[in-house]
Amino acid sequence: MQTAADAGDAATLLAAVPAGRRVALVDPRFVGHVHALRLGLTDPRFAAATVPGALTAQPEARGALLRALRRTTAAVGAGAPVVAPDTDPAPDDRTVPGRIAVALEAEGTAVKRPELGSLTATVPTDAGARATAESARDGVDDEAVRLRSAVKAHDGFFTTFAISPYSRYIARWCARRGLTPNQVTTASLITALIAAGAAATGTRGGYVAAGILLLVSFVLDCTDGQLARYSLQYSTMGAWLDATFDRAKEYAYYAGLAIGAVRGGDDVWVLALGAMVLQACRHVVDFSFNEANHDAVANTSPTAALSDKLDSVGWTVWARRMIVLPIGERWAMIAVLTALTTPRIVFYALLIGCALAACYTTAGRLLRSLTRRASRTDRAAQALADLADSGPLAQGVAAVAPGLRGAFTAPAVALLGTLVMIGAALFLPYGSWLTVAAAAVYVLLSGLAVARPLKGALDWLVPPFFRAAEYVTILVLAARSDAPHAVPAAFGLVSAVAYHHYDTVYRIRGGTGAPPQWLVRTIGGHEGRTALVAVLAAVLTHAAGFTTALTALAVAVALVVLVESIRFWVSSSAPAVHDEGELA
């Protein structure tokens, strides 16, 4: 830390700092909480940030900072006082850091101004103002504020009242010992995998241990995010780990329960895969709707207004959050039922609970979509097209037949294709070439569904329909085959494909767009994989061959998507995603 005599000296000192370092300007008369400075000066997610009396710039904003400082110096004079006259209309911008922040924004550099709440951050101009500021600072315990702000602003009932009251202190303990959120995230994954292994023993003791370990894993899962917020350690790797490990833990645990049940003489692999498919389809409904309406204009939905009114009544907020069965409630239910009952009962409860939650959330989204007056943007249409995951076959159809959709809407065409595909898998003789013909119809209808930009009121339903068609077709064909271990192989295939779809979601939410087209083409798109599984079921009449083919396909998809995903998320181009609202 160096002290500048005036604005001109500050410019000289900043220019001498190595280019790869973050720099900060703090007015020497600053009065406030340490955590206010921490929020303004150490958050790695923003190129530039400011609180009253302080400003920081990451390396990418250093050039703009120096230009703004020199312009400010030229305007007020190199040796001018750091406080402007009291007639300045924006008191927080009277200091040199405040003026530079305004200049940065005028140049086009975004400057983050974090919400400070009860924290104090100010630059008093006289003794009376300093005494008032110091009194306000001393009247608020900034460590208590820091602990409270470590907890998500919006979370589920179980997480809020059963986990966060003590997990925040675990987060502080980890921070004081130099542990990182990524290390805690990894510990959560390892704990969940051990829980899955305990469930796979198929013994009552193993089930009890699995339930306890699953809850411990969830506590760590909450702790990693709280540690990131407490210590402001946001990273691209952390975003990727947190986004994907939750799904990996849950699906690994489903597999462990299924293995344990088989050891006990009860094959529940179909239920395990069904629970995974339902949960993944629930998520894509949420993601697709949110992306479709992320930047929609002129939202006048009376359903949304009713929702806001319900949120004003305290108990309805918690009731509605519990109805959707978020991850806290879901894992608590799984853990307790694992310890006290059987895997079959666990999966029955999951299927019933997730189905009811899916009906509730989807009905609400349908009502909002049908009752709103909004125009969707090109960005929203592109996000839906990316979420659709159309491969070369569907893209080829869309390219040559953009006008054939006629009077049918995109979701109607996608739904028809989904019903044709799932109906054929369910009701035609297993291995029939008619199922392959149905897959060809599905490819055609999939292409027609995305032949035009997805800007309709219900076009966000297209990706969920495609996910249901692919996942359910794989499930049904594997379940109907006589091949031993076909359903576990299908479980692996759906897991790999679902990982690709979740990775797509978090890339879009990070603002970098979907995975590259070569990846989508390489793994065939949803329609290509669906058609391929139908062909494999028809060609490989030998029982073991179908299982081998599903396993090989699962391994191939997993390798391609994991290698590309890891390359992307550890690269410098990946965004630092910090999600405050995800409950699932």
Side-chain angles (χ1 to χ4, degrees):
M1 183 174 68
Q2 300 185 62
T3 302
D6 51 42
D9 189 26
T12 302
L13 292 174
L14 285 177
V17 177
R21 294 184 183 177
R22 173 200 290 268
V23 296
L25 285 172
V26 181
D27 193 290
R29 287 174 271 194
F30 175 86
V31 173
H33 290 98
V34 173
H35 191 50
L37 280 178
R38 188 181 292 113
L39 288 171
L41 303 183
T42 66
D43 195 323
R45 294 173 294 167
F46 310 110
T50 186
V51 294
L55 171 73
T56 187
Q58 296 267 41
E60 60 266 30
R62 284 274 305 276
L65 171 64
L66 277 174
R67 290 192 297 272
L69 179 56
R70 285 166 180 153
R71 287 199 304 272
T72 302
T73 301
V76 302
V82 294
V83 180
D86 288 343
T87 56
D88 195 301
D92 291 341
D93 296 334
R94 293 183 205 144
T95 65
V96 167
R99 285 181 173 274
I100 295 173
V102 173
L104 280 173
E105 290 176 318
E107 186 178 310
T109 301
V111 180
K112 174 66 176 179
R113 288 177 167 80
E115 294 290 337
L116 299 181
S118 59
L119 296 175
T120 296
T122 186
V123 177
T125 57
D126 54 48
R130 172 169 290 274
T132 301
E134 290 175 345
S135 176
R137 178 196 62 194
D138 296 341
V140 175
D141 183 350
D142 77 332
E143 179 61 19
V145 173
R146 188 181 181 189
L147 274 173
R148 286 196 303 271
S149 61
V151 178
K152 266 187 179 181
H154 305 287
D155 223 329
F157 181 88
F158 178 79
T159 304
T160 299
F161 295 103
I163 304 297
S164 293
Y166 58 87
S167 62
R168 70 185 74 181
Y169 295 102
I170 300 176
R172 182 171 67 180
W173 183 90
C174 292
R176 291 178 175 177
R177 283 152 183 81
L179 298 176
T180 67
N182 292 352
Q183 291 171 330
V184 178
T185 301
T186 303
S188 175
L189 174 65
I190 293 172
T191 305
L193 294 178
I194 295 173
T201 63
T203 64
R204 178 52 52 195
Y207 290 149
V208 172
I212 294 172
L213 288 170
L214 189 64
L215 288 177
V216 172
S217 174
F218 183 65
V219 171
L220 293 173
D221 185 49
C222 295
T223 300
D224 64 359
Q226 291 166 358
L227 174 58
R229 287 182 285 273
Y230 181 86
S231 56
L232 299 178
Q233 297 183 72
Y234 306 118
S235 68
T236 57
M237 178 63 76
W240 174 62
L241 293 179
D242 192 53
T244 57
F245 276 15
D246 279 350
R247 304 289 84 79
K249 289 180 287 188
E250 191 165 5
Y251 298 161
Y253 192 80
Y254 291 177
L257 279 176
I259 293 171
V262 169
R263 288 187 171 181
D266 186 15
D267 190 342
V268 296
W269 271 108
V270 170
L271 296 178
L273 181 50
M276 182 171 72
V277 167
L278 180 55
Q279 187 61 29
C281 289
R282 274 190 63 203
H283 281 155
V284 78
V285 167
D286 296 338
F287 296 143
S288 187
F289 177 82
N290 290 337
E291 287 304 321
N293 296 283
H294 176 75
D295 49 5
V297 295
N299 179 9
T300 57
S301 168
T303 307
L306 175 60
S307 178
D308 293 339
K309 288 181 180 179
L310 288 175
D311 284 344
S312 66
V313 182
W315 68 269
T316 65
V317 174
W318 297 115
R320 294 168 68 206
R321 290 185 189 177
M322 292 173 69
I323 289 173
V324 301
L325 203 65
I327 189 169
E329 278 74 1
R330 193 164 68 249
W331 281 31
M333 180 184 73
I334 294 171
V336 171
L337 291 178
T338 298
L340 300 180
T341 64
T342 66
R344 181 171 289 273
I345 293 177
V346 173
F347 287 124
Y348 280 154
L350 264 175
L351 288 167
I352 294 171
C354 289
L356 292 174
C359 290
Y360 170 78
T361 55
T362 305
R365 283 156 172 68
L366 285 170
L367 286 172
R368 288 185 184 218
S369 299
L370 292 171
T371 58
R372 72 187 302 156
R373 300 286 186 273
S375 298
R376 292 190 169 81
T377 63
D378 291 338
R379 177 201 174 280
Q382 183 59 53
L384 291 180
D386 292 334
L387 289 174
D389 191 34
S390 299
L393 296 178
Q395 289 177 358
V397 172
V400 300
L404 294 182
R405 204 167 74 198
F408 295 100
T409 63
V413 175
L415 176 59
L416 178 60
T418 298
L419 293 176
V420 168
M421 190 67 250
I422 295 176
L426 277 171
F427 301 115
L428 291 176
Y430 175 78
S432 170
W433 283 96
L434 289 176
T435 305
V436 177
V441 173
Y442 175 67
V443 169
L444 175 63
L445 293 174
S446 297
L448 292 178
V450 296
R452 298 176 186 172
L454 298 175
K455 291 186 175 183
L458 296 178
D459 283 2
W460 57 269
L461 287 169
V462 171
F465 285 148
F466 289 164
R467 293 299 80 75
E470 180 179 4
Y471 297 165
V472 175
T473 297
I474 295 172
L475 166 61
V476 171
L477 291 179
R480 294 188 65 196
S481 74
D482 294 327
H485 311 302
V487 179
F491 189 98
L493 175 57
V494 173
S495 298
V497 174
Y499 175 86
H500 163 60
H501 290 145
Y502 281 110
D503 185 52
T504 300
V505 165
Y506 282 99
R507 292 198 199 201
I508 293 173
R509 293 170 73 167
T512 60
Q517 273 299 301
W518 71 259
L519 174 66
V520 177
R521 289 193 297 268
T522 300
I523 60 176
H526 71 92
E527 81 291 349
R529 291 186 298 268
T530 304
L532 177 58
V533 172
V535 171
L536 291 174
V539 172
L540 300 175
T541 54
H542 181 62
F546 187 54
T547 299
T548 302
L550 288 179
T551 303
L553 182 58
V555 171
V557 171
L559 284 175
V560 173
V561 300
L562 280 173
V563 168
E564 163 57 20
S565 176
I566 292 171
R567 182 210 64 77
F568 171 79
W569 286 103
V570 301
S571 70
S572 60
S573 63
V577 179
H578 175 53
D579 182 19
E580 277 292 329
E582 178 62 49
L583 299 179

